[in-house]
Amino acid sequence: MSYISNVMQMVREMNPAEPEFHQAAKEVLDSIEPVVKRYEKEFRRERVLEHLLEPERSISFRVPWVDDKGKLQINRGFRVQFNSALGPYKGGLRFHPSVNRSSMNFLAFEQTFKNALTGQPIGGGKGGANFNPKGKSDREVMAFCQSFMTELFKYIGPNEDVPAGDIGVGGREIGYLYGQYKRLTNQYEGTLTGKGLLWGGSLCRTEATGYGVCYIAEEMLRAHGRSLEGSTVVVSGSGNVATYAVEKAQQMGAKVVTVSDSNGYVYDPNGIDVQVVKEIKEVRRGRISEYVKIVPGSTYRDGKKVWEIPCDVAFPCAIQNELDLDDAMDLVANGCFAVTEGANMPTTREATDYLQAKGVLFMPGKASNAGGVGVSALEMAQNSMRTRRSFDEVDADLHGIMKGIWTQVSEAAAEYNLDGNYVVGANIAGFQKVVQAMREQGFV
Ligand code: NDP
Ligand code: 2IT
């Protein structure tokens, strides 16, 4: 059996019933095969892949809290500290019913390579809970966040592990989490990112992931003689990443015609009005179907996905495995020529393979959504220096980070004669950095 197959078998045996983690591990291992072939002897001796696939530390904990009816609720919290070769563990917290060991391991594993691509000094981690913030009052969310942090604070710190937001965790939740962290530790320090602008947050962090998706998409399109300008774009999701991807794509001259949530999608042939999306999602915390009551000419399709709408470019910005083979076939049949992932692993393996086989330009999330964590690292630096930078300065750095990622990803693919395969490029470029740092620090 090949070294890679051996390691994949080990991952399955040591982490049974973790389909998302297996999926992410297999994609990375398949991608780095040319590197493994080149250095197989030393990789086997140092057990490089076995090191890389096993988290350094993984915590799971009980989160008890009281709801508005006075009833005691119990959730499960996680923090997976996957790899600290390049810096303190860094990655978001997800509050969503789907959170379990599998989704946490997949996200923390992916985060390690993503963070390496940013060029910032950050290792990989992820956390969260199977708590569903939908429909909860502010007080319930606060009670949950306080209980969650009462356990988590023991394992994090500005030089240890720095969480941030992800699905279901935005500015409100980061505020409650930070307040409790401060109460427990008596320290005012940059242990979370995505903080409020009055208390240590960085300008442009809210926008960073979505803007970064557009910046790298433009690099990829330009290299192939295309541009976002004049393109029709479909976006899925209507959360943090989707909203600011819509905003920047439109600023860059694209027409974005969809947004969605887990219930259905909105089609607006005149171009999505991003102010209306912000009002519904950020202010009212409503459902995206409300859009059609406000914007004439738009329509809502319940229970359907955005991929059935003809487009030039697609940005999946919602959740893992939201774009499957049937969706990929729809996109290709309708003439889509580029997919840039805003979410983490939103495209199934079958769909990715199909898109690439059909010549669709495909940029994987670990490269294209890295702008969020990249700006989180800039927020950490600002906190350490007790300083503030302007929106334009941070945005310019974000642009530089995304261009840097594009260069690494495209060059790594070319080095192994897989020109244009940015999945392979991103995995190889991230892998090489992490492995070099681990080797220099000693494998045992
Ligand atoms: P939010 O919670 O702000 O938004 C998530 C959006 O996705 C909501 O509109 C949600 O709708 C929608 N959604 C969830 N499940 C589905 C589904 N099955 N089908 C369609 N829509 C769905 O999260 P973010 O925008 O922060 O995160 C989105 C993705 O981007 C995630 O994969 C995350 O890991 C990734 N990411 C986020 C970063 C960040 O900085 N926030 C950085 C890098 C990646 P509903 O309300 O119905 O659940
Ligand atoms: O998936 C991700 O990169 C994030 N949710 C952002 C992590 C961060 O630390 O800003």
Side-chain angles (χ1 to χ4, degrees):
M1 212 194 275
S2 76
Y3 181 31
I4 285 179
S5 311
N6 265 326
V7 171
M8 199 52 228
Q9 192 181 337
M10 176 203 82
V11 170
R12 290 203 179 93
E13 283 171 10
M14 288 179 73
N15 309 278
E18 296 196 23
E20 292 90 352
F21 183 39
H22 301 170
Q23 182 184 342
K26 180 134 183 31
E27 184 213 281
V28 170
L29 288 172
D30 287 349
S31 295
I32 60 173
E33 196 185 347
V35 190
V36 174
K37 281 216 169 111
R38 199 181 278 183
Y39 303 106
E40 177 146 358
K41 234 169 114 189
E42 56 249 66
F43 277 19
R44 277 186 185 265
R45 191 181 60 238
E46 295 169 323
R47 306 201 70 176
V48 167
L49 301 183
E50 290 90 332
H51 275 92
L52 213 65
L53 268 300
E54 182 65 16
E56 289 175 17
R57 188 178 300 111
S58 177
I59 300 142
S60 129
F61 49 94
R62 182 197 318 138
V63 189
W65 58 283
V66 177
D67 69 17
D68 283 348
K69 295 191 184 98
K71 196 172 159 215
L72 198 60
Q73 301 284 347
I74 307 283
N75 287 94
R76 182 175 290 171
F78 295 93
R79 187 72 185 168
V80 179
Q81 300 178 331
F82 218 103
N83 194 299
S84 62
L86 296 174
Y89 308 106
K90 182 84 197 85
L93 296 172
R94 177 176 292 192
F95 291 169
H96 192 267
S98 69
V99 165
N100 57 29
R101 201 171 295 282
S102 176
S103 55
M104 291 289 100
N105 274 334
F106 123 63
L107 288 160
F109 177 68
E110 291 278 292
Q111 195 82 42
T112 301
F113 303 105
K114 180 198 306 194
N115 293 4
L117 290 172
T118 66
Q120 300 291 313
I122 42 179
K126 197 84 184 190
N130 63 342
F131 170 75
N132 186 0
K134 242 176 262 168
K136 302 286 191 301
S137 69
D138 278 354
R139 195 213 59 83
E140 288 177 318
V141 170
M142 183 169 77
F144 179 81
C145 289
Q146 290 176 339
S147 181
F148 183 87
M149 185 53 83
T150 300
E151 187 61 28
L152 184 69
F153 90 97
K154 300 165 192 167
Y155 309 101
I156 62 176
N159 298 309
E160 190 176 352
D161 183 354
V162 182
D166 193 77
I167 294 179
V169 178
R172 173 182 60 170
E173 290 75 18
I174 293 292
Y176 296 148
L177 291 163
Y178 192 69
Q180 184 72 353
Y181 177 83
K182 203 156 52 71
R183 198 174 288 142
L184 290 162
T185 60
N186 204 30
Q187 299 290 316
Y188 206 107
E189 55 191 10
T191 302
L192 292 161
T193 59
K195 297 186 290 300
L197 297 178
L198 292 174
W199 39 277
S202 175
L203 286 159
C204 197
R205 175 61 188 90
T206 303
E207 294 81 358
T209 312
Y211 281 20
V213 167
C214 296
Y215 293 153
I216 201 167
E218 187 65 10
E219 295 297 319
M220 176 173 76
L221 290 169
R222 252 208 320 250
H224 294 269
R226 311 252 193 178
S227 172
L228 276 175
E229 191 175 355
S231 292
T232 298
V233 179
V234 299
V235 171
S236 67
S238 51
N240 173 263
V241 179
T243 300
Y244 293 93
V246 172
E247 182 169 280
K248 182 52 74 177
Q250 289 181 336
Q251 286 172 9
M252 291 168 79
K255 184 198 254 192
V256 183
V257 292
T258 63
V259 279
S260 69
D261 61 23
S262 56
N263 294 115
Y265 77 86
V266 167
Y267 172 59
D268 188 342
N270 300 314
I272 292 291
D273 184 334
V274 78
Q275 291 311 324
V276 172
V277 175
K278 287 184 191 178
E279 168 66 24
I280 296 169
K281 303 303 291 189
E282 294 178 355
V283 182
R284 282 195 258 150
R285 298 183 184 278
R287 305 302 298 160
I288 204 59
S289 56
E290 295 165 34
Y291 184 98
V292 297
K293 292 183 208 145
I294 304 169
V295 182
S298 62
T299 50
Y300 176 72
R301 284 204 78 187
D302 198 49
K304 296 284 181 192
K305 300 198 268 184
V306 298
W307 319 119
E308 62 189 29
I309 297 291
C311 67
D312 302 313
V313 176
F315 291 163
C317 296
I319 200 162
Q320 64 269 10
N321 294 328
E322 56 164 314
L323 197 169
D324 63 19
L325 182 58
D326 285 344
D327 302 322
M329 289 170 136
D330 277 352
L331 286 173
V332 169
N334 286 330
C336 170
F337 55 73
V339 174
T340 300
E341 293 186 325
N344 286 306
M345 206 171 72
T347 315
T348 65
R349 178 65 182 269
E350 297 70 31
T352 305
D353 290 347
Y354 180 81
L355 290 167
Q356 289 187 314
K358 293 290 176 186
V360 175
L361 303 173
F362 185 89
M363 187 57 72
K366 67 170 70 70
S368 43
N369 70 34
V373 77
V375 170
S376 277
L378 303 180
E379 182 172 324
M380 289 165 70
Q382 292 172 81
N383 294 161
S384 298
M385 293 191 288
R386 302 203 186 283
T387 188
R388 277 177 75 74
R389 300 174 67 217
S390 71
F391 188 98
D392 289 347
E393 281 176 310
V394 178
D395 189 30
D397 276 6
L398 167 64
H399 211 142
I401 288 171
M402 299 316 295
K403 282 187 174 176
I405 294 173
W406 161 251
T407 305
Q408 293 170 67
V409 167
S410 46
E411 286 180 358
E415 189 192 332
Y416 285 88
N417 298 321
L418 288 158
D419 247 328
N421 188 335
Y422 307 122
V423 174
V424 167
N427 286 325
I428 289 181
F431 170 80
Q432 284 176 326
K433 287 183 170 183
V434 176
V435 169
Q436 188 182 335
M438 287 173 79
R439 179 174 292 132
E440 287 170 4
Q441 291 168 31
F443 275 111
V444 281

